[in-house]
Amino acid sequence: MLGVVGMGGCASVSELRIIQRTFTIEAPKELVWNGALHYFSVEKIPIFKVERDRGVIHARKTIRSSRIKDKYAECPKGYVQRNRRTTTIISLTESSKHMTKIRIDLQFQGEYTASTIYGVNLGTKFYDCVSTGAGEREIFEEIFDYVTSRPSFPRVAKVQDEQVNPITVELRQVSPRDF
C-alpha cells in the first residue's frame, strides 16, 4: 500500500489541530474596531471590504513564498510554491456594553507552478493551506496591545479564554495529475 501511494505522488494525511479563532476583550467594540484597523494599517495589508454595521473587515495580501517552513500555514508539498495568498476576516460583536468578542479567520492559499524536467510550464494553480493558529494569536495580541495602550482607556482590559474547538485538517501533496 505504501509503495502505491509513493508511486502515485499524491498523499494526504488527516490530523487533529486545535486553533483558537475567537477571543474576548473587556473593552468597547469601537475601541477594538480601531485596533483592528490599526493592525491592517501597520502591517500594510490592503482592506478590500468593510462592513462597519456588521463589525466585519476583509483584507487580502499576497506575499512571495518559498518551500521553507512557514509558521503561519502548512501548504501542500510538491513543485514550486511561488506565492502565498492570505485572506484575513475579522468579525467583532459586542456581547455586553464593554465586552467585545473577536473572531479572526485566516485563509491561506499557496500558488504552485509545475514544469517538466525540460522547463516546459505545466501550469499554475492555488491550493488551500492549513492555518497553524500562530497568525490568529499574533493578530489578537496586536489588537489587544492597541486597546490597552490607549490613554483614554483605563488599563482594565483583559482577555477571557474561549472554548477552543478542535478541527480536523487534511494535508495533501500536489501531484502532476493536479495540473
Side-chain angles (χ1 to χ4, degrees):
M1 176 69 176
L2 184 59
V4 173
V5 172
M7 288 173 46
C10 182
S12 64
V13 179
S14 292
E15 72 177 50
L16 187 64
R17 176 171 298 150
I18 298 174
I19 298 173
Q20 184 173 4
R21 291 191 166 91
T22 305
F23 308 87
T24 302
I25 296 180
E26 188 176 321
K29 181 180 176 182
E30 186 68 25
L31 183 58
V32 178
W33 175 267
N34 291 339
L37 293 176
H38 178 76
Y39 165 78
F40 289 120
S41 174
V42 167
E43 295 298 321
K44 297 178 173 60
I45 300 172
I47 295 172
F48 68 89
K49 186 176 181 183
V50 174
E51 299 175 53
R52 191 174 183 96
D53 296 349
R54 291 184 49 222
V56 181
I57 303 169
H58 298 257
R60 180 174 295 135
K61 184 174 187 174
T62 300
I63 60 167
R64 200 79 178 129
S65 185
S66 68
R67 298 176 89 180
I68 298 170
K69 185 166 173 60
D70 185 338
K71 76 176 192 176
Y72 301 109
E74 291 180 15
C75 293
K77 306 294 183 230
Y79 296 99
V80 178
Q81 182 180 357
R82 302 216 181 263
N83 297 303
R84 188 189 72 211
R85 180 169 53 199
T86 305
T87 302
T88 306
I89 303 169
I90 295 180
S91 306
L92 305 175
T93 54
E94 196 166 49
S95 53
S96 68
K97 185 167 173 75
H98 290 289
M99 296 295 279
T100 304
K101 190 171 282 206
I102 305 170
R103 174 144 177 109
I104 302 169
D105 289 303
L106 292 178
Q107 301 162 358
F108 300 96
Q109 290 186 315
E111 177 186 30
Y112 292 84
T113 300
S115 60
T116 66
I117 59 172
Y118 303 108
V120 176
N121 188 327
L122 297 175
T124 299
K125 290 187 176 185
F126 277 93
Y127 289 94
D128 291 338
C129 302
V130 178
S131 176
T132 63
E136 289 85 348
R137 171 61 66 180
E138 284 183 15
I139 292 170
F140 167 72
E141 288 171 357
E142 291 290 327
I143 294 170
F144 184 75
D145 288 347
Y146 175 89
V147 168
T148 58
S149 69
R150 297 299 96 188
S152 61
F153 190 73
R155 296 204 176 255
V156 296
K158 61 183 176 187
V159 180
Q160 290 187 348
D161 286 332
E162 295 292 323
Q163 178 68 32
V164 180
N165 297 320
I167 61 169
T168 302
V169 297
E170 183 177 336
L171 304 175
R172 68 185 306 267
Q173 181 168 339
V174 177
S175 76
R177 292 183 299 241
D178 294 330
F179 287 88

